[in-house]
Amino acid sequence: MPPESSNDLLLLERPVEGVLIATLNRPEKLNALSKALLGDLTAALAAAKEDGSIRAVVLTGSGKAFSAGADISDMVERGVESYLDPERLEHWHAIEAFPKPLIAAVNGYALGGGCELAMLCDLIVASDAARFGLPEINIGVLPGDGGTQRLPRLVGKSWATRLILTGEIITAAQARDIGLVIETTEPDRLLKRATALAAEIASKAPLAAQFAKQAMRAAFEKPLSEGLQVEQEAVKEAFKTEDRAEGMRAFLEKRPPVFRGR
Ligand code: HXC
């Protein structure tokens, strides 16, 4: 396992085998998503993608926020150019395209772009202290990093409309009740729980997990008939892997499988 590493804006640690925790670390600005912070996150995910020893990533925030969203100061300074900044948009696309399982451990505020970042993850676990919302309407804009598309898909039109048009901020328990969050925990158990979930996923066949993620993404993007095609292609790819042969052989031999990510 490589040593723990960090820079100013993003802290990286390897708590258990197979799992990387990336912590957004701009607490004095509630982890507002400056281009530099998004860039560091993108770079860390690019490295994690290539590192076969990392099989799942947990994303969390330091201080009292997961992230309070896009950097409002930069939007005031640069106007729409801040939003349309090609590098910023490229960072979002790269996070979206990250192929390995990504779990958001939402420790506090997940607002605007912070909530949209959590929704880019495959699962959201939240501390009881977490708060979710898309409050862009309060500053004269609307969610612009996927919120108007992903929130209705995740929680349905009624709750998405309520949250986006009122800017209401909801509790972790409400977010769980509407299906945005899979599980809530006491604040001091959040990382332990998210890490355990990531470790459980990391113990499974890693390539199958990536194929499954890819196929599930199609469920949001394509009509059913095309999504089923994507699923079939993914299964065909899974059949080509050594891990598939190992998994099925291990089952018949009544022993635990040893997955190597090949
Ligand atoms: C830049 C931010 C910020 C943000 C907080 N800060 N959120 N800076 N961008 N999104 C800064 C504050 O200015 C302040 O800096 C410091 O962080 C602490 O925040 P406070 O407001 O003092 O904390 P608190 O009183 O506890 O209130 C917490 C809060 C509030 C309720 C979360 O900060 C808040 O409402 N933040 C904005 C949330 C939001 O509207 N997000 C959506 C952004 S738009 P100083 O220097 O004063 O200490 C978006 C998408 C836009 O995400 C894309 C489409 C156009």
Side-chain angles (χ1 to χ4, degrees), residues 28-30 32 64 68-72 109 111-113 135-136 142 144:
E28 71 288 357
K29 295 290 179 190
L30 305 186
K64 69 177 182 180
D71 195 317
I72 298 173
Y109 291 114
L111 303 180
E136 286 89 341
L142 63 148

Side-chain angles (χ1 to χ4, degrees), residues 107-226:
N107 49 302
Y109 291 114
L111 303 180
C115 186
E116 292 170 307
L117 180 59
M119 288 193 287
L120 270 192
C121 297
D122 300 299
L123 284 173
I124 306 176
V125 180
S127 139
D128 295 329
R131 296 289 179 269
F132 294 82
L134 291 174
E136 286 89 341
I137 199 88
N138 293 326
I139 55 169
V141 280
L142 63 148
D145 290 312
T148 66
Q149 304 306 300
R150 290 200 176 88
L151 191 62
R153 282 166 166 81
L154 283 172
V155 306
K157 177 173 179 272
S158 299
W159 267 102
T161 302
R162 173 167 157 181
L163 295 179
I164 291 172
L165 296 191
T166 69
E168 178 183 350
I169 291 173
I170 59 172
T171 63
Q174 285 176 298
R176 185 193 58 218
D177 291 347
I178 66 175
L180 181 58
V181 159
I182 186 79
E183 196 174 316
T184 54
T185 73
E186 288 165 19
D188 57 3
R189 289 193 60 245
L190 174 68
L191 271 190
K192 203 168 169 212
R193 178 60 194 134
T195 301
L197 197 53
E200 186 186 350
I201 292 171
S203 73
K204 311 294 177 180
L207 294 176
Q210 291 187 37
F211 293 136
K213 176 169 169 166
Q214 197 183 329
M216 282 189 283
R217 186 175 294 156
F220 289 102
E221 291 178 356
K222 295 180 186 293
L224 180 62
S225 55
E226 285 178 36

Side-chain angles (χ1 to χ4, degrees), residues 23-25 27 30-31 61-66 107-108:
T23 303
L24 305 172
N25 186 40
L30 305 186
N31 302 320
S62 63
K64 69 177 182 180
F66 176 75
N107 49 302

